[in-house]
Amino acid sequence: MKKMILLLLLNCAALAPALASRMVTGHVFDASNKQPLVGVAIRIEGGFTGAATDINGYYHLSIPGNNTTLMVIYIGYETQKVKVGKQSTLNIYLKPSKSTLDEVVVMGYGVSEKRDITGSVANMSPAPMYNQSLAGRVAGIQITGAQQKNKIRGIYMPAPQESESYKGITENGFQNPNDNPLSTFSVDVDAASYSNIRRFINNGQLPPKDAVRIEEMINYFAYNLPAPTNGEPVAIHTELSAAPWNPKHRLLRIGLKARVVATNKLPASNLVFLIDVSGSMFSANKLPLVQSSLKMLVDQLRPQDKVAIVVYAGAAGLVLPSTSGDQKTTIKDAIDRLQAGGSTAGGEGIKLAYKTAKQNFLKSGNNRVIMATDGDFNVGASSDQDMEQLIEQERKSGVFLSVLGYGMGNYKDSKMETLADKGNGNYAYIDNITEARKTLVSEFGGTLFTVAKDVKLQLEFNPARVASYRLIGYENRMLNKEDFNNDLKDAGDMGAGHNVTALYEIIPAGVHDKFTNSVDPLKYQKSAQATTNFISNDMLTIKFRYKEPNGSVSKVSQAVVIDQPVALASTTNDFRFASAVAEIGMLLRDSEFKQNAKYDEAIKRARAAKGSDNEGYRAEFIKLAESAKLLSKSALAAVEE
């Protein structure tokens, strides 16, 4: 008996190193050029635990022992199986795939183009599902063919069923100032639409029209606006010139610049990370990218900041109680342990996140839930209306909500936009680790720290100077004229250092075209007409209303715009660049108001107005616009065939 016990103990001792959990780290490179690869999915074979590489190609992953095999998956590269052994540092070199997909049809929402392309086909499903038939989407490419089937490596696959949802947009039309002298809207600092459009174009598709929110495209970029100097939280600036797509019209740019606050002077934060860990979040561009994103945010936190983590799948749970921001290893370890699987009870997760935030509420601090999800809620309260009612109730607590959207295919943009709008927060779409750095590191203050809430603008147009006008974009931010003075009416918020740009296209008095609407004279009452002796040069007056972050009573200021446009060539780089972004947006939407808009002209103007562009975002836009131009030509050629 003693010999048997001794033998068992020796066997356990021999097995202990293999069973002990430990950390393996390293980088993933392109084998052909030794460049780091961002967003590579690294999974433990036969399980759900995984990680994704960051902007430097770096990863770290907790493994169960020395007998672990890693699956390394990246679109466009050959999938590798790598045995870890006793190594603690493991660099991986992926080979670009040489496989060719024949008879591929790139679907541009109803428009198709046949091409031969080279790339890999990787199944991004959990390990137990690796043998399932391929879903049919490769980096935005939809495989089709006879009877909706196509053959790749001997596997026949049905065309995928996409379920992305976008809220319908009815564009703002031209308004006659005699009938509608006031234009009222809420500011919008969101930029999710731009990065989502980038995802479509980079995947070889034109975006669906309702995914194009022009104001979010414009507000993705930083502009060189002076910050307020009079103690106010926001400064307002204007610029007036000719509309590039119709020189007979005017283009008015309104720029708002929020007060810049140094990071060390920002109030303490009480944050709750609300993370979707349902089965739909398994893909490399979802939960692994969420984990990498939030860990970058953790690096920005100070000792006075606190973070709790709530997750939800079939049910919601607290995986990390409120923890000091200087306990970065503890917070990151909790993030790394997250795994995806199950259905999605989004409503329950939101309730628990707000409850946790309220339990740790900082009276003079920044209290915020940061939600990371693809928006695909399917258990409990899940409709847009359900979510809207839930958030409207929860926001009364004084806790703000920011929404970070991830993924593709089942992406629910409409739901996430509603959550952020109603939650007094902002909404960003994170399509890669670089976008995560922009949102959560470079724009840290603007993303998390509100300096002015319920920000509204109301413009009054002088009918003696204006025949007609229209606001470009902001369709889902329009307010009734009486909402401007109603402090109970919710509106958008601005964070530290935020920019907001709004563009109005104005038809001057005396210019008549198809957009200058008129009606027959009224029989029983006099039509409102501009007085003939109105001699002011005022084109319009802008009223600006906001509340302090903890205030309930608004403040108001105003600015007057004189009818003295400058030549387009004499405007600032920011004016010309913003106008180019708006022009591309109208083309992507195939707007009925695009008039003489052209890709070539907008691209030329954007290139000339790029300015210093230290982060390279404007250069990236120019490349995207060039790609959109090519896709547009291809789509048109396919339709004509």
Side-chain angles (χ1 to χ4, degrees):
M1 176 65 74
K2 290 182 178 179
K3 289 183 178 180
M4 291 180 64
I5 293 173
L6 180 60
L7 184 60
L8 286 171
L9 290 173
L10 289 172
N11 286 336
C12 289
L15 288 171
L19 295 174
S21 176
R22 64 184 180 84
M23 188 68 68
V24 62
T25 64
H27 292 79
V28 180
F29 300 98
D30 183 317
S32 64
N33 58 22
K34 305 302 184 291
Q35 293 298 309
L37 297 175
V38 181
V40 177
I42 303 170
R43 294 279 183 271
I44 295 175
E45 185 179 34
F48 293 91
T49 304
T53 57
D54 65 14
I55 193 170
N56 299 310
Y58 175 79
Y59 73 92
H60 67 281
L61 180 64
S62 178
I63 62 173
N66 296 339
N67 295 327
T68 300
T69 298
L70 301 180
M71 298 288 297
V72 187
I73 305 168
Y74 198 52
I75 297 292
Y77 291 78
E78 294 179 0
T79 296
Q80 278 194 31
K81 287 187 179 182
V82 182
K83 291 185 177 180
V84 178
K86 297 181 180 180
Q87 301 176 83
S88 58
T89 300
L90 180 61
N91 292 331
I92 301 167
Y93 294 83
L94 293 184
K95 296 179 180 179
S97 174
K98 302 299 182 183
S99 301
T100 299
L101 306 185
D102 297 322
E103 191 66 16
V104 173
V105 181
V106 181
M107 300 300 293
Y109 288 84
V111 179
S112 61
E113 176 191 355
K114 290 188 178 181
R115 300 180 184 173
D116 288 334
I117 68 167
T118 299
S120 70
V121 180
N123 189 328
M124 306 305 290
S125 300
M129 300 172 64
Y130 276 121
N131 294 324
Q132 290 187 358
S133 294
L134 204 59
R137 172 169 287 275
V138 183
I141 296 170
Q142 182 171 332
I143 291 99
T144 63
Q147 298 179 350
Q148 295 298 311
K149 292 184 179 180
N150 200 350
K151 187 176 182 181
I152 299 179
R153 296 181 182 175
I155 300 174
Y156 285 90
M157 298 157 295
Q161 297 297 313
E162 297 293 1
S163 58
E164 297 198 2
S165 66
Y166 298 91
K167 190 179 297 182
I169 295 175
T170 301
E171 284 189 284
N172 292 326
F174 280 95
Q175 302 294 322
N176 186 325
N178 283 311
D179 302 321
N180 297 291
L182 298 176
S183 176
T184 309
F185 67 101
S186 161
V187 300
D188 184 5
V189 297
D190 296 343
S193 179
Y194 177 82
S195 47
N196 192 29
I197 290 167
R198 177 176 63 201
R199 183 252 299 189
F200 275 100
I201 294 174
N202 283 340
N203 284 345
Q205 292 178 306
L206 290 173
K209 292 180 181 180
D210 287 335
V212 180
R213 295 188 289 273
I214 295 176
E215 74 280 5
E216 293 186 22
M217 293 178 65
I218 296 169
N219 286 322
Y220 181 85
F221 302 95
Y223 298 104
N224 186 25
L225 293 171
T229 57
N230 55 359
E232 297 296 323
V234 180
I236 185 167
H237 306 275
T238 62
E239 202 168 0
L240 183 67
S241 185
W245 47 87
N246 188 341
K248 292 182 179 180
H249 294 184
R250 305 262 201 271
L251 186 65
L252 171 67
R253 174 188 174 225
I254 302 171
L256 304 179
K257 176 68 174 182
R259 181 174 61 236
V260 178
V261 182
T263 301
N264 60 356
K265 294 184 178 180
L266 290 169
S269 287
N270 162 37
L271 304 178
V272 178
F273 293 165
L274 173 58
I275 305 173
D276 182 351
V277 293
S278 63
S280 68
M281 291 292 289
F282 187 86
S283 302
N285 60 1
K286 292 189 180 181
L287 184 57
L289 184 55
V290 170
Q291 291 168 309
S292 299
S293 303
L294 294 181
K295 285 189 288 186
M296 287 195 296
L297 176 55
V298 171
D299 287 334
Q300 310 304 308
L301 300 180
R302 306 157 299 176
Q304 62 266 40
D305 301 322
K306 299 185 296 182
V307 175
I309 301 177
V310 171
V311 299
Y312 64 94
L318 179 68
V319 299
L320 181 73
S322 191
T323 302
S324 172
D326 59 358
Q327 301 297 310
K328 292 181 173 35
T329 301
T330 300
I331 300 169
K332 289 182 178 180
D333 285 347
I335 293 172
D336 283 334
R337 288 194 296 269
L338 300 179
Q339 300 177 17
S343 52
T344 318
E348 291 305 311
I350 291 171
K351 290 177 183 176
L352 180 57
Y354 271 96
K355 179 182 178 181
T356 304
K358 287 183 281 188
Q359 288 172 344
N360 299 281
F361 194 85
L362 297 176
K363 188 174 181 181
S364 58
N366 169 45
N367 300 278
R368 186 176 297 268
V369 172
I370 300 176
M371 184 179 193
T373 178
D374 60 9
D376 192 11
F377 306 156
N378 50 38
V379 174
S382 60
S383 71
D384 289 5
Q385 186 176 2
D386 288 337
M387 292 293 102
E388 185 172 334
Q389 292 173 349
L390 175 59
I391 294 299
E392 285 179 341
Q393 180 63 36
E394 294 289 355
R395 76 182 181 204
K396 296 176 183 177
S397 64
V399 176
F400 293 79
L401 174 69
S402 290
V403 180
L404 307 178
Y406 292 81
M408 64 180 71
N410 63 333
Y411 187 64
K412 308 301 182 188
D413 174 86
S414 59
K415 189 173 275 84
M416 287 184 282
E417 185 189 12
T418 296
L419 289 173
D421 287 353
K422 301 302 178 183
N424 287 339
N426 47 334
Y427 166 36
Y429 176 74
I430 310 295
D431 57 336
N432 55 48
I433 198 69
T434 303
E435 183 63 25
R437 181 174 63 85
K438 177 180 184 291
T439 301
L440 299 175
V441 178
S442 302
E443 299 173 359
F444 177 68
T447 300
L448 297 183
F449 298 93
T450 299
V451 298
K453 69 178 183 180
D454 291 338
V455 181
K456 310 169 189 175
L457 288 171
Q458 186 171 76
L459 279 66
E460 180 183 356
F461 290 88
N462 176 8
R465 294 285 177 177
V466 176
S468 197
Y469 67 88
R470 86 175 192 97
L471 174 60
I472 300 175
Y474 290 92
E475 285 84 2
N476 61 356
R477 296 289 183 143
M478 300 304 294
L479 299 173
N480 296 323
K481 58 186 178 183
E482 58 270 17
D483 293 335
F484 183 74
N485 293 327
N486 182 1
D487 281 349
L488 298 179
K489 183 65 178 180
D490 183 58
D493 305 318
M494 293 187 67
H498 258 151
N499 297 282
V500 171
T501 294
L503 298 178
Y504 275 87
E505 184 173 356
I506 298 172
I507 302 176
V511 174
H512 298 284
D513 56 28
K514 64 179 181 179
F515 299 115
T516 311
N517 301 315
S518 63
V519 296
D520 292 336
L522 299 177
K523 179 178 180 181
Y524 300 108
Q525 62 189 56
K526 293 182 179 180
S527 298
Q529 298 291 336
T531 57
T532 56
N533 59 351
F534 195 84
I535 58 174
S536 172
N537 287 327
D538 294 3
M539 176 170 270
L540 58 104
T541 297
I542 304 171
K543 291 182 180 179
F544 169 69
R545 188 178 288 277
Y546 69 93
K547 297 175 189 169
E548 297 288 347
N550 297 317
S552 58
V553 179
S554 65
K555 299 179 180 179
V556 66
S557 59
Q558 67 179 36
V560 174
V561 177
I562 304 299
D563 188 13
Q564 293 178 349
V566 300
L568 183 61
S570 300
T571 58
T572 63
N573 282 340
D574 286 349
F575 182 98
R576 285 178 282 122
F577 187 83
S579 72
V581 176
E583 188 166 356
I584 295 296
M586 288 191 288
L587 289 166
L588 289 174
R589 283 196 56 80
D590 191 23
S591 168
E592 65 175 295
F593 305 106
K594 66 180 184 292
Q595 301 165 72
N596 296 316
K598 294 181 177 64
Y599 278 105
D600 287 338
E601 293 300 319
I603 292 169
K604 179 181 178 181
R605 192 163 64 258
R607 189 177 287 117
K610 189 172 65 171
S612 57
D613 193 32
N614 294 327
E615 298 289 342
Y617 298 132
R618 295 191 180 192
E620 179 192 56
F621 167 77
I622 293 166
K623 291 179 181 178
L624 286 176
E626 291 170 339
S627 297
K629 172 189 169 184
L630 295 175
L631 289 169
S632 179
K633 286 184 176 180
S634 298
L636 182 60
V639 170
E640 291 175 348
E641 288 179 3

